[in-house]
Each structure stands twice: as structure tokens, then as C-alpha cells.
């Protein structure tokens, strides 16, 4: 047990916490990063399941704050696999000598603000205490695992693995009977790889998902050279697109094209692979008829790939495409053509129970040796409310957000002075390329702290009117288009009992950045300093 005092304490040593530490150090802030895991990497430290890889192209899913770093680092594949991303995080930690200011294996349980001293005291589960003027939650949007509420889940006698808490040692499925529960991105990435080893694979699907081929391949050295020859411009161009991703986004309407033109465009995008598939036309997420055309196209592909028509039908999503996060796959649908892979639809009749030896569904016991839980995360707010955060007058963040979160720009909350969140609810976060978004947030926070330092301010707090205005705007924007018509983790709909409030900002990265810049240029408009 120890108690130490810092200028800034950062919770989380993923990409956000690492960059925060680097920047804060540069400005002379005495900083401590506290991390629950045993090393850096965040998402890529925990999500080690087979097949895990990023769905943004490697040349874009990387830091850009240091030109030498981005020039020297070489990715091996179009979409980096998890081990390479973890290696990259480790490389950055070594290169900037970050680990000496990170305390690993320490999970923060509570944080209390003392108005008299304008300081936070954070207490870890092991009893260690950290006192600091400023406190930043850099805990990620998808980091608190969501466990399904299924009777008997804890009674299974064999190994149970959650995709978001995967063991560090290799898991060998050879000759095993395996059940996977959940068919989101984690399930869709891991199922084909598990199927390669398993003797029998039972996939329990509640809602089918749309998956677009990744067409992953070794990184083309010509492309790499081209990007690196103008990396800064390439990054600037990316930031001007709504998701902050360099890609081919069209502005035309799908319904203005002929069926033949649409088919050709969707085929071209399908062959190219990746998330830019939904950039085929500008109105796909705003017009139901347009969305139907692209959803029908993907359903057609599923029927083409999957040989058994009944299985194909079960795999065809009925909801709009893009309502949930689009999945990027490698051989996902084709996996169901293998005789030892079985799809069990548990939409109408949910899984009844887990027993010591089986998953029970539709009155039958599916006997298994290994259980894989791929049921995702308590997204956006889960990692924030997991810590008992008490602000001014003992304001309790968990209670404050019981009916849904609210924030000013996804960066700060009224009554929680000197607390910042990186990619919090109300910021574009998961609708963008997370790494540049993290860098934008970190730069904004650090610039703000430098501004305060110059003026000897000791406290900053979001003003209630500014928070309300931003949150109202954010909610208004989320209603434009089709996104909110689907139950998704964006809305908190995947966690039983969680308030349904749309959390990521849907107004686009450029609009958001402009607002942040205006706020800063206006002397941090909407914030009160003490
Ligand atoms: O989680 P999910 P995920 N019985 O919430 C099902 C990012 N990510 O870990 O849809 C049966 O998407 C649930 O069913 P339903 C990415 O942003 C990125 O897969 O609620 N099933 C759903 O099918 C992604 O969106 C990558 O009806 C149950 C699944 O579990 C986000 O993380 C890779 C159930 C959960 O899907 C989350 O993805 C991985 C139950 N009781 C993740 N409860 C990349 O590619 C839940 N489900 C970079």
C-alpha cells in the first residue's frame, strides 16, 4: 500500500494512456499511469482471441504524432493481427521509455474529488492511493466485458473463455467440441479460426450480422511507400472525412443510380473489401430504400456462399445494414459449409441453460468441451462506471448516468472538475478511426492543462448549460438517419437493464474537431475555471 502525489493520474495504458503520458511528460507534468493489465496495449492486450485483428487498415491505425515513428514502423499485413498491434504498443512504450511511469497490475476501484484542495484521490483495489490535481479516464470504449445472463453459466466444468479476456497462453481447440455464443465482430473473427481446429463447433446465434470480406493480405510495399512519401498529407486528408478514415466515400444517392450501376458499385466494393463498402453511396445510412439495396446485395452474397439454403437464411440479417457495427471477416460465411460447424438460432428460443457439460437449447443438450463467450462489452460507459467516481458534493457518476450518460464533448462532465475522459460518450470515438481520434482528444486535453498552468488555474469544470447544449445537439444528430433504428451497443441495448441512450457522436469527425477547436480558441468556452 502506498500513497503518492502527482499532477496527473491517467487510468489505462492503452493507446490513449500511452500518448497522454508522452505528451504530459513533454510539458513537465508529473504523471502516473495506472493499468489493470500487466503491460501496455489496452484493447490489444486483452482481446487475444484467435483471429483478432483490426478492421481499419494498418497504415491508418497507428500513431501519427511522431514522424520518425510512423516512417520506421513496418506493418506486415493490410489489417494488422492482434499480436502485431501488441508488439507495436510495446515498441512505442520502449521507444518513448513509457513503462517507468506506468504502474501495472493495479485496478482503480474508486476516485474522490476534494473541493477544498481541488484534487482527486484514486484508490486501487490493492489499497494503493494516488493523489493528483487532474485525473483522466483513458479506459477505452470497449473494455468492460459483457457476460450473458444465462442460467448455469458458471457451472460449466470445462474451460470458459470470454473473447475480451482471452488467456495469454495459446488455446488449442484440436479435437475439441466447442460452443461459441455470440456473432458480433469477435465471434465472426474467431469462428473460422476455431473451426480449423475443433472437432465440432456449435455457434449459438441470436442476431445474424453483416460481414464484408477483409481480403486481408500482406501489405503492398508499393502502397506503403506511396503513403509514407506523403504521410502527413495522407493523415490530413483522412481527418476531413466523416469517419476520419482515408477512403473512397461517395456522396451520390443509391436511388439515383440504376440497379445495374448499383450492383456494379457494390460488387466493386465487395471485391475491394473493408469498411469502405458502406461508402458506396452517401445516403445508405439515411434512406431506408437505399439501405435495402445494399442489404439485399449482402444477403445475396450470403446465399451464394453458404450451400445449405436453411443455414444461409438463418445467417441473413433482417435489420438494416450499418445499424450495428459492420463486421469485417475472413471466410466467415464459408465456414458454415464445413460439416462439423453447426449454426443454432437462439433468437426466438434463447439458450435455456449452461450445464456442466453442455449448452442447452431447443430442449437439446449440445455436449461440449470448451465454451467461448463472444458477447461483447458494456460499451462506452461500462469502464467509466466500473470505477466509483465521486465529484463535487459527492456527485456519483454511476447514479448520474443511471438513465444514460451526458457529457460536454465526450471530454468532461459538470460536477466532476479536473476529470477528463478520452473518447467518452458524446464524442465520435467508435464511428471513427480510434487512433487519430485518441490523438485529437489527448492533444486537446493536454493543451487545456497547459493553458491552465500558464494562468495558474487549479480547477476546470464543464458548465451545465454547455453540457446540456452539447448533449441535446448530439442526441438530435443521432436521430438523423437510420442508425438508431437498430438495437445495438451504441444504444446500450446489448446490456440488460442499461438505459437506452445513443452514445457516440454521429456528426462526423471534422465537425467535432471544429467544435473542439472553437471551444479552445474561445478560452475554453463552456468551461468554468477556478
Ligand atoms: O460484441 P457484440 P463483439 N445469447 O456486442 C450476442 C469491436 N470489435 O465483441 O446482437 C446469445 O458486437 C449478441 O447478440 P445480439 C467492434 O466495434 C472490433 O463481437 O445482442 N447471444 C451478439 O451477436 C464491435 O462492434 C473488432 O442479439 C448473445 C454478440 O453476442 C465491438 O467491438 C473485433 C447473448 C455480441 O456482439 C463489439 O464486438 C472485435 C445471449 N444471452 C470487436 N448475449 C475488429 O474487427 C449477447 N449475445 C477490430
Amino acid at each position: 500500500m502506498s500513497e503518492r502525489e502527482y499532477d496527473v493520474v491517467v487510468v489505462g495504458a492503452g493507446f490513449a494512456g500511452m500518448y497522454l503520458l508522452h505528451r504530459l511528460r513533454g510539458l513537465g507534468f508529473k504523471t502516473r499511469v495506472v493499468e489493470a493489465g500487466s503491460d501496455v496495449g489496452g484493447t490489444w492486450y486483452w482481446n487475444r482471441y484467435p483471429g483478432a485483428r483490426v478492421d481499419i487498415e494498418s497504415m491508418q491505425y497507428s500513431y501519427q504524432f511522431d514522424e520518425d515513428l510512423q516512417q520506421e514502423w513496418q506493418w506486415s499485413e493490410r489489417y494488422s493481427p492482434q499480436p502485431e498491434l501488441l508488439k507495436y504498443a510495446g515498441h512505442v512504450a520502449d521507444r518513448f521509455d513509457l513503462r517507468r511511469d506506468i504502474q501495472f497490475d493495479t485496478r482503480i476501484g474508486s476516485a474522490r474529488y476534494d473541493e477544498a484542495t481541488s484534487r482527486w484521490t484514486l484508490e486501487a483495489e490493492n489499497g494503493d492511493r494516488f493523489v493528483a490535481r487532474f485525473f483522466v479516464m483513458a479506459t477505452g470504449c470497449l473494455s468492460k466485458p459483457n457476460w450473458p445472463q444465462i442460467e448455469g453459466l458458471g457451472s460449466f466444468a470445462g474451460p470458459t473463455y470470454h473473447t475480451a479476456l482471452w488467456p495469454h497462453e495459446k488455446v488449442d481447440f484440436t479435437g475439441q467440441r466447442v460452443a461459441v455464443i455470440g456473432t458480433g465482430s469477435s465471434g465472426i473473427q474467431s469462428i473460422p479460426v476455431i473451426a480449423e481446429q475443433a472437432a465440432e463447433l456449435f455457434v449459438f446465434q441470436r442476431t445474424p450480422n453483416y460481414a464484408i470480406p477483409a481480403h486481408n493480405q500482406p501489405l503492398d510495399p508499393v502502397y506503403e511507400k506511396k503513403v509514407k512519401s506523403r504521410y502527413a498529407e495522407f493523415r490530413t486528408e483522412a481527418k476531413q472525412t466523416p469517419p476520419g478514415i482515408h477512403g473512397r466515400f461517395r456522396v451520390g444517392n443509391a436511388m439515383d443510380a440504376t440497379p445495374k450501376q448499383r450492383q456494379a458499385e457494390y460488387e466493386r466494393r465487395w471485391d475491394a473489401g473493408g469498411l469502405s463498402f458502406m461508402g458506396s453511396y452517401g445516403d445508405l445510412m439515411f434512406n431506408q430504400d437505399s439501405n435495402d439495396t445494399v442489404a439485399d446485395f449482402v444477403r445475396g452474397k450470403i446465399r451464394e456462399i453458404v450451400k445449405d439454403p436453411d443455414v444461409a437464411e438463418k445467417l441473413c440479417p433482417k435489420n438494416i445494414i450499418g445499424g450495428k457495427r459492420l463486421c469485417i471477416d475472413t471466410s466467415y460465411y464459408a465456414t458454415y459449409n464445413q460439416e462439423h460447424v453447426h449454426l443454432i438460432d437462439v433468437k426466438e428460443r434463447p439458450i435455456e441453460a449452461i450445464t456442466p457439460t453442455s449448452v442447452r437449447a431447443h430442449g437439446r443438450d449440445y455436449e461440449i468441451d470448451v465454451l467461448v463467450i463472444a458477447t461483447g462489452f458494456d460499451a462506452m460507459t461500462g469502464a467509466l462506471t466500473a470505477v466509483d467516481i465521486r465529484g463535487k458534493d459527492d456527485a456519483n457518476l454511476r447514479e448520474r448516468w443511471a438513465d444514460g450518460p451526458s457529457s460536454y464533448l465526450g471530454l468532461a462532465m459538470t460536477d466532476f472538475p479536473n476529470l477528463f475522459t478520452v473518447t467518452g460518450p458524446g464524442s465520435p470515438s467508435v464511428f471513427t478511426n480510434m487512433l487519430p481520434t485518441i490523438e485529437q482528444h489527448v492533444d486537446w486535453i493536454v493543451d487545456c492543462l497547459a493553458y491552465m498552468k500558464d494562468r495558474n488555474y487549479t480547477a476546470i469544470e464543464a458548465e451545465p448549460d454547455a453540457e446540456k447544449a452539447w448533449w441535446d445537439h448530439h442526441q438530435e444528430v443521432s436521430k438523423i438517419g437510420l442508425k438508431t433504428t437498430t438495437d445495438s451497443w451504441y444504444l446500450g441495448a446489448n446490456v440488460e437493464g442499461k438505459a437506452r441512450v445513443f452514445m457516440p457522436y454521429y456528426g462526423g469527425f471534422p465537425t467535432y474537431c471544429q467544435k473542439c477547436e472553437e471551444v479552445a480558441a474561445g478560452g475554453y468556452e463552456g468551461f468554468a475555471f477556478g
Side-chain angles (χ1 to χ4, degrees), residues 210-245:
Y210 294 93
I212 307 301
H215 297 309
N216 187 42
Q217 53 196 280
L219 186 63
D220 176 2
V222 177
Y223 174 70
E224 181 188 359
K225 201 168 163 200
K226 194 171 147 200
V227 172
K228 285 188 171 175
S229 73
R230 54 185 302 277
Y231 228 149
E233 291 105 298
F234 179 82
R235 300 285 202 180
T236 305
E237 286 159 9
K239 283 180 193 159
Q240 284 152 14
T241 70
I245 301 172

Side-chain angles (χ1 to χ4, degrees), residues 397-406 471 497-502:
L397 189 70
R398 233 176 249 165
E399 279 173 14
R400 177 74 58 96
W401 284 4
D403 296 327
S406 165
W471 199 259
K498 187 167 175 176
R500 290 199 179 199
V501 174
F502 200 78

Side-chain angles (χ1 to χ4, degrees), residues 22 76 78 83 102 131 161 181 221 289 312 332 349 356 376 412 473 492 514:
H22 174 67
S76 63
R78 179 183 182 190
I102 305 175
V131 178
Y161 303 112
I181 299 178
D289 292 338
Y332 174 64
R349 296 171 65 193
H473 161 70
Q514 192 188 337

Side-chain angles (χ1 to χ4, degrees), residues 4 7 9 49 58 87 92 175 202 234 268 276 310 324 332 357 374:
R4 297 234 170 82
D7 294 323
V9 171
Y49 60 83
S58 313
K87 196 169 153 203
V92 174
F202 301 98
F234 179 82
R268 203 171 64 75
S276 68
D310 291 340
K324 292 183 184 226
Y332 174 64
T357 58

Side-chain angles (χ1 to χ4, degrees), residues 43-44 47 49 51-56 142 146-150 162-164 181-189 204-209 324-328 346-347 350-351 373-377 379 430 487-490 493-494 496:
T43 285
W44 304 106
N47 290 264
Y49 60 83
R53 68 175 69 248
V54 65
D55 58 2
I56 307 277
L142 296 158
N146 177 40
W147 289 89
Q149 307 290 312
I150 302 175
H162 194 298
T163 46
I181 299 178
T183 51
S185 297
S186 304
I188 282 176
Q189 285 190 331
F204 293 85
Q205 171 192 274
R206 193 163 67 182
T207 311
N209 249 310
K324 292 183 184 226
R325 170 85 170 199
L326 201 61
C327 302
I328 303 302
V346 289
K347 181 81 175 174
I351 294 170
I373 305 290
T375 50
F377 303 88
V430 292
D487 279 350
S488 68
W489 55 256
Y490 301 136
N494 64 323
E496 229 169 280

Side-chain angles (χ1 to χ4, degrees), residues 9-13 17 32-35 108 122 135-140 387:
V9 171
V10 175
V11 181
R32 191 70 169 163
V33 178
V34 188
E35 165 60 51
I108 295 295
L122 282 73
F135 157 37
V136 187
M137 285 293 277
T139 40
V387 178

Side-chain angles (χ1 to χ4, degrees), residues 12 18 25-26 71 76 93 115 138 142 157 175-176 182 224 247 264 333 336 340 348 380 386 419-420 439 492 500 522:
M18 290 166 67
R25 255 191 203 162
Q71 287 295 338
S76 63
E115 263 189 275
L142 296 158
Q176 306 280 294
E224 181 188 359
Y333 295 120
Y336 293 94
H340 70 296
E348 301 306 328
M380 311 286 306
L419 164 61
F420 295 97
E439 285 182 316
R500 290 199 179 199

